[in-house]
């Protein structure tokens, strides 16, 4: 039986009928065409699918779209302002925080939350913040560096 | 992978949720944070015909003072527990354990009620719940029950809960004065689940003797349990290194050690003893 859901994604409200078993990640990718959110595993472990639901980073492969009825969702597509990248995206660019880029949308969305909660994290705090995001390419070094670089840029912009 | 088709309801009261459970003849599953249920449904290890989402039930997510201890609503997330000042003040070991579970995203969603009901043999919270003499309060099937954590975890993924019962609250009594606690785990690198985890609470009397010792073990066997032989050895003794070692050597007594791809039974037995030693040592130091 289909259920009506109404939710806001990156500022735009969408109303759809969904099957309860539709995962949030499939709703975003297949129904809304927002393919920036990736699916990297079948075991809820890789974090490539991370989006913000009402401000909280969640694995959208481990959530049903029906649960998000009424929610405000932010995906990687909602971060940049026009041509201007979000400071975290900019830092990944500058510090080579990616190689193949598959994990990047999830890493960036998780880091949005990490830096919101802690604007000046230590290296260890960044690493524990992204413990739920796996990267098969970079060895994490440049991701951590990008995160701390972004944190500094965001603090400077606020000062 | 895609779960099998199911129907979905999101009741707004516990009473309504109970009525749905009763009328669905065992075909329904409660959905809390979904961090265990959704992966299991995606693997098609469980295929409920009806999913009953508890997230719209009012007043199931809270941390409150209760008789000097704390009461935690079943739908309270790890994140809320981890950041609660009341928890940190009354039971800092719970803060410590909650912050070691899984990862940031799972802690944003996963709930204490869901974690306890799921009873994964490698889950972290059960070790602390049995050590802390916590009680699990439920509704459904007539009068509500208050189940001691030590009798709640029956076997792997098996609890004392009935099919038509809902956990509503967890009560954690305040530990006596001069109690120190520690949780030590060897975590699986990918999932962060405990290969073995040991929670210890040690109370010292005025003479510096261990007056009360509680040890909870998870990951070692099919269900979290108290290490009673180790507890009774240490109680009444001064916490010398030799006494802590002798107690830790008894921490695995009575456990039917799991043997799987994460570790052999002999390895888990060794881990249980070493982690018990570390947890007891740190607990004594903090009781100081
Ligand atoms: C990648 C990953 C890593 C993880 N790592 C760890 C870890 O390191 N340590 C750890 O301890 N856990 C870990 N977990 C499991 C996590 O703790 C889960 O959140 C928890 O086990 C389930 O809580 P939930 O609220 O998500 O419950 P759900 O998944 O919604 O439900 C779990 C079960 O409990 C039942 N249930 C839920 N609420 C109630 C209730 N109020 N009354 C009765 N029954 C109820 C459901 O019907 C279901 O059977 C991990 C999970 C993932 C996905
Ligand atoms: S796709 Fe969601 S955690 Fe891997
Ligand atoms: S850049 Fe390839 S997986 Fe992270």
């Amino acid at each position: 039986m289909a259920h009506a859901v109404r939710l806001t994604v990156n500022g735009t409200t969408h109303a759809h009928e969904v099957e309860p078993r539709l995962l949030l990640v499939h709703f975003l990718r297949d129904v809304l065409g927002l393919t920036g959110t990736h699916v990297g595993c079948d075991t809820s472990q890789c974090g490539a699918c991370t989006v913000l639901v009402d401000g909280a980073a969640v694995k959208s492969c481990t959530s049903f779209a029906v649960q998000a009825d009424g929610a405000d969702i932010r995906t990687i597509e909602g971060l940049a302002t026009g041509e201007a990248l979000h400071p975290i995206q900019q830092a990944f660019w500058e510090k080579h925080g990616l190689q193949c880029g598959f994990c990047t949308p999830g890493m960036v969305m998780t880091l949005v939350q990490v830096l919101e909660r802690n604007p000046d994290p230590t290296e260890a705090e960044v690493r524990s913040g992204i413990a739920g995001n796996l990267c098969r390419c970079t060895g994490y070094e440049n991701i951590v560096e990008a995160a701390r670089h972004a944190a500094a840029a965001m603090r400077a912009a606020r000062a | 992978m895609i779960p099998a088709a199911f129907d979905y309801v999101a009741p707004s009261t516990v009473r309504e949720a109970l009525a749905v459970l009763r009328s669905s003849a065992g075909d329904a599953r409660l959905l809390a944070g979904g961090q265990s249920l959704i992966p299991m449904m995606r693997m098609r290890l469980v295929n409920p015909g009806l999913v009953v989402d508890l997230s719209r039930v009012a007043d199931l997510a809270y941390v409150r003072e209760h008789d000097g201890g704390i009461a935690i609503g079943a739908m309270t997330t790890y994140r809320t527990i981890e950041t609660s000042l009341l928890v940190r003040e009354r039971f800092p070991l719970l803060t410590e354990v909650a912050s070691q579970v899984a990862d940031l995203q799972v802690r944003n969603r996963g709930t204490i009620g869901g974690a306890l009901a799921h009873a994964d043999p490698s889950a972290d919270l059960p070790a602390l719940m049995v050590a802390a003499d916590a009680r699990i309060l439920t509704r459904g099937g007539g009068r509500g029950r208050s189940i001691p954590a030590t009798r709640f975890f029956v076997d792997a993924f098996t609890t004392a809960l009935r099919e038509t019962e809902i956990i509503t609250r967890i009560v954690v009594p305040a530990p006596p004065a001069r109690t120190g606690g520690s949780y030590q785990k060897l975590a699986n690198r990918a999932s962060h689940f405990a290969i073995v985890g040991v929670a210890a609470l040690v109370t010292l009397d005025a003479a510096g003797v261990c007056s009360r010792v509680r040890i909870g073990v998870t990951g070692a066997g099919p269900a979290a349990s108290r290490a009673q032989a180790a507890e009774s050895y240490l109680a009444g003794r001064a916490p010398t290194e030799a006494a802590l070692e002798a107690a830790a050597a008894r921490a695995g007594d009575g456990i039917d050690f799991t043997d799987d791809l994460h570790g052999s039974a002999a390895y888990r037995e060794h881990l249980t003893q070493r982690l018990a030693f570390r947890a007891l040592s740190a607990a004594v130091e903090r009781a100081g």
Side-chain angles (χ1 to χ4, degrees):
Chain A
M1 201 172 63
H3 283 249
V5 294
R6 198 182 165 80
L7 40 80
T8 305
V9 181
N10 301 327
T12 308
T13 301
H14 301 269
H16 279 275
E17 297 260 304
V18 299
E19 232 195 313
R21 65 170 163 171
L22 183 70
L23 297 169
L24 180 59
V25 69
H26 292 140
F27 176 80
L28 294 170
R29 288 178 57 87
D30 303 343
V31 179
L32 300 187
L34 295 171
T35 53
T37 303
H38 291 168
V39 180
C41 73
D42 261 329
T43 52
S44 302
Q45 282 178 333
C46 76
C49 61
T50 303
V51 301
L52 301 179
V53 177
D54 292 328
V58 306
K59 294 176 180 175
S60 61
C61 74
T62 312
S63 174
F64 295 119
V66 273
Q67 290 176 280
D69 186 26
D72 188 2
I73 292 172
R74 204 158 169 218
T75 71
I76 190 74
E77 289 90 347
L79 281 194
T81 316
E83 292 294 297
L85 293 178
H86 183 282
I88 298 176
Q89 293 173 307
Q90 187 67 35
F92 268 65
W93 174 277
E94 286 169 15
K95 295 291 170 188
H96 308 287
L98 61 145
Q99 288 178 25
C100 80
F102 198 88
C103 69
T104 312
M107 284 286 180
V108 170
M109 296 315 289
T110 304
L111 283 167
V112 169
Q113 175 114 83
V114 170
L115 298 188
E116 208 172 70
R117 290 174 177 176
N118 180 357
D120 191 7
T122 62
E123 178 185 334
E125 285 165 343
V126 171
R127 286 185 188 272
S128 97
I130 57 170
N133 294 76
L134 301 181
C135 175
R136 302 288 279 193
C137 302
T138 65
Y140 301 95
E141 290 295 322
N142 287 357
I143 294 176
V144 175
E145 209 175 306
R148 300 195 66 205
H149 183 69
M154 289 162 78
R155 287 196 308 275
R158 241 178 274 129
Chain B
M1 280 181 287
I2 314 276
F6 59 86
D7 206 352
Y8 169 90
V9 284
S12 50
T13 63
V14 171
R15 180 187 293 264
E16 226 180 291
L18 285 170
V20 175
L21 282 186
R22 275 195 294 269
S23 63
S24 66
D27 195 28
R29 276 280 185 150
L30 298 170
L31 173 66
Q35 301 305 293
S36 293
L37 182 62
I38 297 175
M40 287 193 300
M41 289 174 66
R42 293 182 64 195
M43 299 287 179
R44 302 212 178 185
L45 293 171
V46 292
N47 301 293
L50 178 66
V51 166
V52 184
D53 185 355
L54 292 178
S55 67
R56 320 252 164 192
V57 174
D59 204 30
L60 278 182
Y62 56 82
V63 179
R64 282 181 204 145
E65 157 138 43
H66 180 91
D67 271 348
I70 42 183
I72 305 173
M75 288 294 286
T76 308
T77 60
Y78 289 117
R79 169 72 188 166
T80 301
I81 294 171
E82 194 187 340
T83 54
S84 158
L85 294 177
L86 185 63
V87 172
R88 191 177 293 271
E89 179 199 309
R90 292 292 154 86
F91 218 113
L93 186 53
L94 179 51
T95 311
E96 197 176 306
V97 174
S99 67
Q100 288 181 46
V101 173
D103 53 54
L104 172 145
Q105 295 96 315
V106 171
R107 291 196 301 276
N108 274 342
R109 277 277 162 123
T111 67
I112 185 168
L116 301 187
H118 185 56
D120 190 301
S122 300
D124 295 297
L125 277 182
L128 180 55
M129 293 295 116
V130 297
D133 295 317
R135 300 186 77 87
I136 291 132
L137 274 55
T138 70
R139 284 181 56 189
R143 287 186 302 130
R145 292 200 289 165
S146 168
I147 310 168
T150 45
R151 266 188 259 140
F152 185 79
F153 303 104
V154 176
D155 203 344
F157 306 105
T158 308
T159 68
L161 281 178
R162 302 186 191 107
E163 256 176 9
T164 53
E165 213 169 2
I166 295 180
I167 301 176
T168 51
R169 161 189 293 209
I170 290 83
V171 173
V172 188
R178 291 201 72 196
T179 299
S182 172
Y183 180 63
Q184 301 285 329
K185 78 163 159 173
L186 185 78
N188 174 295
R189 290 291 290 168
S191 71
H192 310 278
F193 272 111
I195 297 170
V196 173
V198 179
L201 288 161
V202 179
T203 311
L204 299 179
D205 68 14
V209 167
C210 302
S211 55
R212 182 176 179 274
V213 183
R214 291 283 188 280
I215 303 168
V217 182
T218 191
S225 59
R226 287 256 302 270
Q228 270 158 342
E231 293 175 356
S232 49
Y233 177 84
L234 193 57
R237 287 176 206 264
T240 61
E241 184 165 338
L244 298 179
E245 280 288 6
R250 292 165 168 80
D253 287 11
I255 296 177
D256 176 16
F257 287 98
T258 303
D259 200 307
D260 65 14
L261 80 167
H262 302 298
S264 65
Y267 181 53
R268 278 193 165 85
E269 182 169 12
H270 174 74
L271 279 179
T272 303
Q273 296 175 356
R274 294 327 303 155
L275 295 172
F277 178 74
R278 286 184 205 167
L280 286 169
S281 305
V284 166
E285 197 144 301
R286 290 176 183 176

